[in-house]
Amino acid sequence: MRQERLSLVLSVGLLAGLAVVPLVTAANTVLNFLVFAMILALAAHGWNLLAGYAGQFSFGHAAFFGVGAYGGALLQMRAGINPWVAFLGGIMLAGIVGAVIGALSFRADLRGSYFSLVTLAFAEVLRILVNATPATGGAAGLLIPLDVRFANFQFASRAAFYWIALALVALVTLLMLVIENTRFGAYLTAIRENEDAARALGVDVFAEKIKAMTLSAAITGAAGGLYAQYFLYLDANIGFGPWISIEALVAPIIGGLGTAAGPLVGALALQMLGEMSKTVAGRIPGIDLVLFGLLLVLVIAFMRRGVVGQLQRLAMARGGA
Amino acid sequence: MMFSPEIVMAAVLNGVMTGSVYALIALGLTLVYGVLHIINFAHGAMLTAAMFAVFVGHAVFRIDPYAMIAVVAPLFFALGYALQRWVIGPAAHGSESNVLLVTLGLSIMIENALLAGFRSDTRSIDVPYAFSSLDLGFTFLSVPRLVAFGVSIAVAFLLWLLLARTDAGKAIRAVAKEPTGAELVGIRVEHVFAVTFGLGAACVAVAACLLMPTFYVSPRIGNAFVLVAFTIVVLGGMGSIPGAVLGALFVGVVESLSGLFFNESLAQLGVFLIFILVLLLRPRGLFGAKA
């Protein structure tokens, strides 16, 4: 089976299965778990577009998660904009920040490790600035006023919020499957495999990388916006902290780098691992991240193409064409 | 704002002292880059781990931080050797992005294991000479910083001697220039890679011993130092040892002088901003060597 077909089948199966969960159980722990997995999957999709498809490994996607989260929250709290519109505004702001960081970095021709390092530094700069600025709530953080109404993007039922998050993940998965079959997707693959060769063949490398970065940042920004609406609280370490840069990167690598199903598969796996570590180790800080780091090393060493790649190999071994 | 020459002179001296410890951290980074052509993202986490080792050595066994050099430098050399030989090398399958991701994975593991073990509190050690100083007439020079300066310069000199004057150094230089050719004349390239990585780790271990008498440690402290070290290495030219030393002294002095003009809380931000600016404006380094 081709990777795209496998990703399609896997995504449809998973999403359909996930969609019926609230009909089976209304347990808060289950729904919390799933909402968080969807937020992570969305952030991971954004990272995967840039790294998995275009070969640019960002270590600072927290920048876009944070801009999406803070952008949405501040637009509704300080500018009085409707939360749904503010959510979209946050996504657009994240896209703009992505375009600016991309333009600066790619203009300086930062590749490979240099790009990773500079994105990390940008995320840290934003974290420190947000933490020090009174307008963004400073170190105390930002509390979005509780006012449960559909018009406010706040719901009494967790299931409703979960379905919206799930729908967004489905939409982005579809977008990735479409991109794989467009000229844009082919350009990104060409850039990933050999940037100089792609340029020689007439691909406008700079423009395509900026497009990928903008879209990637917007998708991860949407994850941040969802986080803000669900938890109604933000601080600089939640929005811009290294944790989300790490998780948005580890999830697609576990699931399958550069595949449309990878981010969702990886996000569910990470989330499960995180919960299990909490059950076993209790409230010791950092244990879950130790496991994520270990998993990252193991997957790179032994399973370079992640779960999706492994499934594909199994399917091929069984004789699928 | 004007400052008297004495104050500026004192700030420059202090900057040189701080810069010398940066030089040690940057030397490890640039040595590994120059020979293995990889960026070791776990460099900062290794520094943090070494600082905690010095902390534990002092808190539990009452060993002086300077005496700890004899313990942690060989220990970290062995750890670095093992990491490169049996973890990073095999796991990376020779791809740059894999190396970056594997060393990122390692740094996440080290940092968070330290967080789990020591929590996020900052810790420091108490030594009787922490505040002793020499009177230079126009200013006081902190003794621990003077020791740090002397030891850093000595280590840099030893490293240069090793690379320039010994057979092991010749092998390292051969591998750096032409790994395939080195392999053909019988040099065990994997071994040389691991030795180089071990030397890089030993450099941060020594830096940790020099830092602990006057500085504090927390699980995430390595990040700030490593970005300073990256800035230095990029300024000095990736892989260039004199570049790293000059770059480090330069950054140390700039940091110390800007401390006179800007308030303290901006310092943390400054590290990252300078790093971004250096990368965006001058990716090839100020001192020539091509990035």
Side-chain angles (χ1 to χ4, degrees):
Chain A
M1 207 186 299
R2 282 169 62 228
Q3 184 271 114
E4 290 86 347
R5 271 290 294 285
L6 180 68
S7 271
L8 178 65
V9 172
L10 209 57
S11 302
V12 170
L14 273 175
L15 290 166
L18 286 167
V20 298
V21 171
L23 306 177
V24 182
T25 171
N28 274 345
T29 47
V30 175
L31 290 181
N32 267 334
F33 173 91
L34 288 177
V35 167
F36 204 80
M38 291 309 113
I39 291 173
L40 183 54
L42 212 51
H45 261 300
W47 185 84
N48 189 42
L49 174 64
L50 189 64
Y53 291 84
Q56 312 298 313
F57 287 78
S58 155
F59 280 8
H61 255 48
F64 315 128
F65 185 87
V67 170
Y70 269 91
L74 290 172
L75 282 175
Q76 57 180 292
M77 289 169 65
R78 305 268 193 265
I81 292 172
N82 172 280
W84 291 91
V85 182
F87 174 65
L88 293 178
I91 293 174
M92 281 178 61
L93 280 175
I96 292 169
V97 171
V100 171
I101 294 179
L104 289 170
S105 318
F106 297 137
R107 183 58 76 198
D109 203 20
L110 296 180
R111 299 188 195 183
S113 322
Y114 292 96
F115 177 73
S116 307
L117 289 169
V118 87
T119 46
L120 172 84
F122 272 115
E124 283 293 286
V125 165
L126 287 173
R127 184 179 64 81
I128 296 168
L129 282 179
V130 166
N131 200 48
T133 311
T136 54
L142 210 57
L143 213 53
I144 299 175
L146 185 71
D147 185 2
V148 181
R149 269 186 296 157
F150 179 81
N152 280 347
F153 204 158
Q154 294 183 24
F155 309 98
S157 118
R158 279 172 212 272
F161 194 92
Y162 168 60
W163 275 318
I164 288 174
L166 187 77
L168 276 173
V169 173
L171 189 70
V172 170
T173 308
L174 184 68
L175 180 67
M176 294 302 148
L177 288 165
V178 170
I179 285 178
E180 283 178 8
N181 289 306
T182 59
R183 201 166 268 270
F184 176 52
Y187 287 157
L188 295 188
T189 310
I191 291 169
R192 177 186 69 200
E193 295 304 325
N194 188 334
E195 198 173 316
D196 297 316
R199 184 175 291 119
L201 288 172
V203 177
D204 187 346
V205 171
F206 181 70
E208 299 303 329
K209 284 207 284 195
I210 302 265
K211 270 190 237 168
M213 183 94 173
T214 310
L215 193 55
S216 163
I219 294 169
T220 300
L226 276 184
Y227 186 102
Q229 283 312 123
Y230 188 68
F231 292 97
L232 300 176
Y233 173 75
L234 287 173
D235 67 26
N237 281 318
I238 293 172
F240 295 94
W243 71 276
I244 185 66
S245 293
I246 293 170
E247 293 191 20
L249 166 158
V250 177
I253 290 177
I254 292 172
L257 195 60
T259 67
L264 178 60
V265 172
L268 288 167
L270 265 198
Q271 189 56 9
M272 246 182 273
L273 187 67
E275 285 302 316
M276 283 189 326
S277 79
K278 264 179 219 150
T279 320
V280 175
R283 297 202 140 270
I284 303 174
I287 288 288
D288 50 346
L289 284 171
V290 174
L291 289 174
F292 296 170
L294 179 64
L295 205 54
L296 177 60
V297 175
L298 290 177
V299 169
I300 298 282
F302 301 112
M303 218 171 78
R304 183 68 175 109
R305 300 188 49 230
V307 173
V308 174
Q310 212 63 19
L311 287 176
Q312 191 191 357
R313 192 180 290 174
L314 285 179
M316 296 235 267
R318 280 180 47 208
Chain B
M1 221 184 312
M2 282 302 294
F3 290 100
S4 68
E6 282 84 7
I7 291 181
V8 172
M9 193 59 210
V12 169
L13 265 181
N14 260 322
V16 168
M17 311 272 137
T18 318
S20 65
V21 180
Y22 289 163
L24 216 44
I25 302 169
L27 270 180
L29 204 58
T30 206
L31 183 65
V32 169
Y33 184 87
V35 178
L36 283 76
H37 306 289
I38 62 170
I39 287 187
N40 171 22
F41 202 77
H43 204 64
M46 293 191 325
L47 175 70
T48 317
M51 287 170 84
F52 270 111
V54 177
F55 171 79
V56 170
H58 185 265
V60 179
F61 304 105
R62 314 305 309 168
I63 306 176
D64 182 87
Y66 296 134
M68 278 297 280
I69 292 179
V71 179
V72 289
L75 177 70
F76 272 71
F77 176 82
L79 273 176
Y81 184 94
L83 269 183
Q84 167 59 29
R85 187 82 192 252
W86 294 297
V87 180
I88 302 171
H93 309 295
S95 121
E96 189 204 353
S97 61
N98 281 0
V99 171
L100 199 64
L101 292 171
V102 169
T103 53
L104 172 72
L106 288 172
S107 86
I108 296 170
M109 284 164 71
I110 297 171
E111 263 184 22
N112 288 287
L114 291 170
L115 181 68
F118 294 93
R119 303 302 156 98
S120 56
D121 321 335
T122 58
R123 288 155 202 274
S124 53
I125 57 179
D126 247 336
V127 284
Y129 48 79
F131 296 105
S132 55
S133 54
L134 289 179
D135 190 351
L136 293 187
F138 64 95
T139 181
F140 291 93
L141 206 54
S142 142
V143 170
R145 284 172 159 230
L146 197 60
V147 172
F149 176 75
V151 174
S152 298
I153 298 302
V155 169
F157 180 68
L158 283 178
L159 203 57
W160 174 81
L161 267 187
L162 173 81
L163 286 175
R165 293 291 149 87
T166 66
D167 281 346
K170 202 180 268 178
I172 291 176
R173 283 183 290 135
V175 171
K177 273 229 169 69
E178 186 50 64
T180 323
E183 185 128 51
L184 284 175
V185 298
I187 295 171
R188 288 183 298 148
V189 172
E190 294 310 313
H191 174 69
V192 170
F193 276 172
V195 166
T196 309
F197 205 90
L199 286 174
C203 283
V204 289
V206 176
C209 298
L210 300 177
L211 281 171
M212 274 318 276
T214 52
F215 212 70
Y216 59 88
V217 58
S218 73
R220 306 223 184 278
I221 197 75
N223 269 336
F225 279 106
V226 89
L227 274 186
V228 175
F230 274 122
T231 312
I232 289 162
V233 168
V234 171
L235 268 178
M238 272 285 180
S240 153
I241 288 181
V245 175
L246 287 176
L249 297 181
F250 175 74
V251 167
V253 170
V254 168
E255 191 190 77
S256 175
L257 285 177
S258 55
L260 288 180
F261 299 99
F262 302 110
N263 90 38
E264 197 69 22
S265 71
L266 279 175
Q268 202 193 2
L269 192 61
V271 170
F272 294 108
L273 282 177
I274 290 171
F275 177 67
I276 290 173
L277 284 178
V278 166
L279 269 190
L280 293 185
L281 300 178
R282 200 57 278 169
R284 292 216 185 354
L286 293 180
F287 302 101
K290 196 180 173 302

